[in-house]
Amino acid sequence: MGNWGSHLYEQPPQKLGEFVQNNLRPSEDSQKQIDQTVDTICEVLQDAEQFPLVTSVAKGGSYGRKTVLRGNSDGSLVIFIGDLEKFQDQKKNQYELLSKIWAQLKLCQLMRNLEAKVEVQNFRGELTIQLSTKQQSLTLKILPAFDALGLSEKPGLWTYRELKRYLDKVKASPGEFSVCFTELQERFFDNRPSKLKDLILLVKYWYQQFKEKDSFRLPVYALELLTVYAWEQGCGAEDFDIAQGLRTVLGLIRKPEQLCVYWTINYNFADETVRRILLGQLRSPRPVILDPTDPTNNVSQGDNCWQLLKEEARVWLSFLNESPGPSWNVLPAPLYSTPSHDLDKFIKDFLQPDKTFLDQIKKAVDAICEFLKENCFRHSATKIQKIVEGGSTAKGTALKNSDAYLVVFTDSLKSYTSPKNKTCTIIKEIHKQLEACQQAQDFEVTFEISKWKAPEVLRFSLKSKVLSESVDFDVLPAFNALGELKSGSAPSPKIYAELISLYESSGALGGEFSTCFTKLQCNFVRSQPSKLKDLICLVKHWYKWCERKLKHKGSLPPKYALELLTIYAWEKGSGAPNFDMAEGFQTVLKLVTEYQHLCIFWKVNYNFDHDETVRNFLLAQMQRTRPVILDPADPTGDVGGGNRWCWHLLAKEATEWMSSLCFQDGRGYPIPSWAVPASVF
């Protein structure tokens, strides 16, 4: 790999951040000289006397995005011309405008005695300004352009409609007018943390050698955007491990056949014209990396160089993994752009945890539970009766990096409302024994106990030693309300009658004691067909996407509500162990849009027939504000919640998703959903 490769190969992963600072960032003095010179040139170009047609100047390319590498780099100065009134004007008048600008720049006295050396060149109709200092050189292309934004901060809907119309009219190449959106590109990168820019520099430096060696013609902008996407989806923090970031980007480069990256910050699916552009792009052969400022511009098209890059990324990942370390969990394509026939593969490839890791988790949990039973309260009258695992790993619906909990039933908790000081004592003892277990046992996974010191909270994590996967566990002491319930048996109606009486008399919250019924909750989901649990994983992934998008807009219903809604959709709409995943997924989202009519419950553990208290309570629950979705293990737990949660936010997202590729067949026709009533009552 030559001197360059050897130089970078020598850097340990933990030293990559330092390497960027010392070798890839331009020196402060050079950057300052370049910036002052560019600012002066911009002032000259905006001088109304010398350039009366110029309305403004935008800084573009690597320079505008502040991702300039030390040594030789490039950028652009986009000059917005007042006389250009439409996109196509930019194309037909460009040569004449460049000639005028070149003539004026050569005459301008202000271009002399600048901080950096300046040379203006006009070669074959391409006007450039070469800037150089002792340590840095920068080539700026001069690009006249139509001002598509005008005085607006963001483009209006008409902007992209006009863009599409003129592209078709003059038969221009997609992305040919993306220069008109340079200011938006600059803003897209402006608010990114400094360390993300360092990661971009590292990725560009990695690419630079292969570009020279194999004459790649992939726009470096594609790799910059891919790096931003990796950071947004996998990290989002200002401070992060730069080696993890590099592993993630290289991992995505290894999946060009699956890459589909886009943003909806400047345009989205709401407008029909833009929607057609976007869906056309998402259906096109991968890789797809759309310019966040121009939906017509797929910047990933690059002379089939992705296969070569893929191999180089494989080599570099093997180097980085010599010192094993995780990468971020980032999908190469969002669910929205996944074709309906690929949903089963999407779930298996991207959502579900590694089977070996799940086996390791099971062994570790079994060992921890056995250790706690044997060692907790050895010198006390208190005894652990049983420990039940709850959450998605126990139900068989875990996503990568999910959470779970261990419910510890002790004989000292004799009722639902046992004193909190007893709970704190139990937590303290379990914490002590978990630390002892950590020292005594040798696990196949990394076992970490949370340092959080809240007296009623105990958490630990089990992490893979080789994969970027983990499960976080909460430890929850609880009253053993079910006693020694035989497998497959329903609880005595008396248990639910007592729970309901307590709920109605004490002002307890609905579902407050559902932890006591964890075993029933897990049995209900775990007993479902394998493919239905896959559908639950898909719906949970969609829900997590909504959570991230709708953060701070309102409180969403619990995930468990969506799990139960998915089971109900399958029971009423299919009931077959093998079904079409897209049909099932669409049915669940359709039910979400009908949330104001949902009334769902099951009779597997309680019903109307065996106890008057339970019967009357269930009838009252059915009269509550919709949606009503009763926990099949706990009739007081209405996870639908009526007006308690912002179902309308989920419903809005579900409606927008109906136009996604997930719900279209290979010819673009809609996939049907199952006929499922919104209510069983």
Side-chain angles (χ1 to χ4, degrees):
M1 295 192 53
N3 292 335
W4 180 90
S6 301
H7 190 40
L8 190 51
Y9 260 125
E10 289 168 1
Q11 306 304 314
Q14 63 271 21
K15 293 284 188 180
L16 286 175
E18 189 178 319
F19 176 77
V20 174
Q21 299 292 328
N22 295 337
N23 298 276
L24 304 189
R25 274 190 178 183
S27 69
E28 288 188 19
D29 287 345
S30 292
Q31 189 67 56
K32 185 177 178 181
Q33 289 174 314
I34 293 286
D35 288 344
Q36 289 176 345
T37 303
V38 172
D39 287 344
T40 301
I41 293 171
C42 289
E43 288 175 17
V44 169
L45 290 169
Q46 292 176 100
D47 187 327
E49 290 186 10
Q50 298 183 71
F51 298 96
L53 299 180
V54 176
T55 58
S56 61
V57 178
K59 300 164 185 174
S62 296
Y63 181 76
R65 298 190 287 269
K66 298 181 177 62
T67 57
V68 167
L69 278 169
R70 180 177 295 187
N72 301 318
S73 197
D74 56 35
S76 60
L77 291 180
V78 180
I79 303 174
F80 295 110
I81 307 295
D83 279 4
L84 303 182
E85 297 178 352
K86 298 183 286 290
F87 285 103
Q88 73 264 36
D89 292 346
Q90 168 182 315
K91 193 170 183 179
K92 66 184 180 185
N93 295 330
Q94 193 170 71
Y95 182 77
E96 180 185 343
L97 288 167
L98 284 172
S99 297
K100 288 181 180 178
I101 293 168
W102 182 45
Q104 287 298 109
L105 284 175
K106 286 198 301 181
L107 293 172
C108 183
Q109 294 296 319
L110 290 176
M111 293 292 288
R112 297 168 177 79
N113 301 318
L114 296 174
E115 291 289 329
K117 182 182 176 183
V118 177
E119 184 179 351
V120 183
Q121 298 178 343
N122 190 0
F123 181 68
R124 293 183 179 177
E126 186 174 275
L127 182 59
T128 60
I129 299 178
Q130 302 279 347
L131 307 182
S132 57
T133 67
K134 286 182 179 179
Q135 296 179 312
Q136 188 74 27
S137 67
L138 178 69
T139 302
L140 292 173
K141 284 185 181 179
I142 303 298
L143 303 171
F146 161 60
D147 189 357
L149 297 182
L151 299 176
S152 304
E153 284 288 310
K154 295 192 74 173
L157 291 176
W158 68 270
T159 309
Y160 292 119
R161 291 178 193 149
E162 289 294 287
L163 172 65
K164 174 63 174 161
R165 189 161 75 87
Y166 287 126
L167 278 174
D168 294 341
K169 186 175 181 179
V170 301
K171 295 183 171 52
S173 304
E176 188 165 331
F177 298 117
S178 61
V179 67
C180 302
F181 304 104
T182 297
E183 291 168 296
L184 290 181
Q185 291 178 359
E186 192 178 346
R187 283 181 216 145
F188 180 79
F189 282 82
D190 261 354
N191 296 322
R192 309 293 175 179
S194 174
K195 199 161 190 177
L196 175 57
K197 306 275 182 69
D198 288 350
L199 177 57
I200 290 172
L201 293 181
L202 194 60
V203 172
K204 288 173 69 173
Y205 189 39
W206 169 83
Y207 171 70
Q208 191 179 65
Q209 174 71 8
F210 310 123
K211 179 182 177 184
E212 293 169 1
K213 183 174 69 174
D214 292 307
S215 301
F216 288 174
R217 287 197 284 273
L218 176 72
V220 72
Y221 186 35
L223 295 181
E224 292 185 330
L225 290 175
L226 188 61
T227 306
V228 173
Y229 169 78
W231 173 80
E232 282 182 343
Q233 298 296 314
C235 176
E238 291 199 10
D239 190 24
F240 57 86
D241 185 319
I242 204 163
Q244 282 189 31
L246 183 58
R247 288 188 193 99
T248 305
V249 177
L250 295 181
L252 291 172
I253 290 171
R254 288 204 64 204
K255 302 170 183 174
E257 303 87 355
Q258 298 167 323
L259 274 182
C260 185
V261 175
Y262 65 95
W263 288 264
T264 54
I265 55 173
N266 291 305
Y267 50 78
N268 55 48
F269 294 88
D271 179 72
E272 183 61 26
T273 300
V274 178
R275 190 174 80 86
R276 285 200 301 269
I277 296 171
L278 281 173
L279 289 176
Q281 294 279 33
L282 301 186
R283 289 192 190 101
S284 62
R286 312 288 169 87
V288 172
I289 302 176
L290 295 189
D291 184 339
T293 71
D294 178 358
T296 72
N297 190 21
N298 178 9
V299 299
S300 66
Q301 301 303 309
D303 220 27
N304 295 323
C305 66
W306 282 96
Q307 292 306 314
L308 295 171
L309 275 181
K310 179 178 176 179
E311 177 57 23
E312 297 293 354
R314 184 192 65 78
V315 172
W316 271 85
L317 276 172
S318 66
F319 157 66
L320 283 171
N321 288 330
E322 285 179 8
S323 303
S327 59
W328 302 323
N329 182 28
V330 178
L331 305 184
L335 176 58
Y336 192 96
S337 62
T338 300
S340 57
H341 62 272
D342 280 342
L343 287 178
D344 293 280
K345 188 174 187 303
F346 181 90
I347 296 164
K348 295 283 189 290
D349 289 352
F350 303 136
L351 302 189
Q352 293 177 331
D354 178 79
K355 284 185 169 57
T356 301
F357 175 61
L358 285 179
D359 289 342
Q360 292 172 342
I361 289 290
K362 186 178 185 310
K363 288 179 189 175
V365 169
D366 288 347
I368 290 168
C369 290
E370 195 60 35
F371 188 93
L372 292 178
K373 287 178 193 174
E374 290 179 1
N375 292 280
C376 283
F377 309 109
R378 295 178 80 174
H379 306 293
S380 164
T382 299
K383 298 299 175 191
I384 291 179
Q385 298 168 314
K386 59 184 176 181
I387 301 176
V388 174
E389 183 185 354
S392 56
T393 52
K395 295 173 187 173
T397 61
L399 300 176
K400 290 180 180 178
N401 301 310
S402 58
D403 48 28
Y405 51 94
L406 295 181
V407 185
V408 181
F409 296 99
T410 69
D411 56 10
S412 62
L413 300 179
K414 300 185 182 299
S415 71
Y416 295 109
T417 55
S418 294
K420 285 190 176 181
N421 64 332
K422 287 192 176 182
T423 301
C424 293
T425 300
I426 294 168
I427 286 286
K428 187 176 180 181
E429 172 65 12
I430 293 173
H431 194 168
K432 175 184 170 184
Q433 295 305 330
L434 279 179
E435 289 177 337
C437 179
Q438 195 178 36
Q439 298 299 318
Q441 302 269 5
D442 185 18
F443 297 107
E444 294 176 299
V445 292
T446 302
F447 177 20
E448 296 178 357
I449 302 171
S450 170
K451 293 182 170 58
W452 201 358
K453 296 298 184 183
E456 295 178 36
V457 177
L458 177 54
R459 291 176 181 162
F460 67 90
S461 298
L462 299 177
K463 299 180 180 180
S464 171
K465 292 180 178 179
V466 293
L467 301 170
S468 302
E469 295 192 30
S470 64
V471 180
D472 296 328
F473 287 85
D474 284 348
V475 180
L476 308 170
F479 163 55
N480 187 12
L482 296 175
E484 295 305 316
L485 186 67
K486 291 182 181 179
S487 178
S489 301
S492 164
K494 182 182 176 184
I495 291 174
Y496 286 118
E498 291 174 354
L499 172 67
I500 289 165
S501 296
L502 173 65
Y503 168 74
E504 293 180 329
S505 63
S506 68
L509 296 173
E512 185 172 340
F513 306 113
S514 64
T515 305
C516 303
F517 303 94
T518 294
K519 184 175 181 180
L520 298 180
Q521 291 176 337
C522 289
N523 288 347
F524 180 72
V525 179
R526 192 166 48 210
S527 63
Q528 305 298 335
S530 175
K531 190 160 186 177
L532 175 54
K533 286 184 273 192
D534 288 352
L535 176 57
I536 290 172
C537 287
L538 189 66
V539 171
K540 285 166 68 174
H541 174 73
W542 174 79
Y543 175 88
K544 285 179 71 175
W545 179 89
C546 293
E547 267 189 321
R548 193 163 54 242
K549 181 180 177 183
L550 300 172
K551 189 166 55 176
H552 308 310
K553 290 190 176 180
S555 181
L556 297 183
K559 249 185 322 191
Y560 189 35
L562 276 293
E563 290 187 42
L564 294 178
L565 189 61
T566 305
I567 293 171
Y568 171 76
W570 173 80
E571 285 179 344
K572 298 298 182 183
S574 170
N578 192 20
F579 56 86
D580 185 281
M581 190 64 71
E583 290 179 8
F585 184 30
Q586 182 170 220
T587 303
V588 176
L589 296 200
K590 187 170 179 289
L591 287 173
V592 170
T593 67
E594 299 170 357
Y595 70 94
Q596 291 173 309
H597 306 287
L598 291 177
C599 185
I600 299 168
F601 68 99
W602 288 264
K603 300 177 183 178
V604 292
N605 292 305
Y606 52 79
N607 56 50
F608 294 95
D609 301 330
H610 298 127
D611 185 274
E612 187 68 18
T613 300
V614 176
R615 180 178 185 278
N616 291 337
F617 181 75
L618 288 176
L619 289 172
Q621 290 285 64
M622 298 303 102
Q623 304 307 314
R624 291 166 66 97
T625 303
R626 311 291 170 88
V628 172
I629 304 175
L630 295 191
D631 183 343
D634 176 2
T636 73
D638 174 14
V639 295
N643 296 324
R644 181 178 177 186
W645 294 297
C646 297
W647 278 90
H648 67 282
L649 295 176
L650 274 187
K652 183 174 182 293
E653 294 302 322
T655 301
E656 291 181 6
W657 270 68
M658 292 303 173
S659 63
S660 79
L661 294 188
C662 300
F663 307 132
Q664 297 175 20
D665 65 18
R667 296 174 298 169
Y669 292 119
I671 296 285
S673 60
W674 301 327
V676 176
S679 174
V680 295
F681 187 76

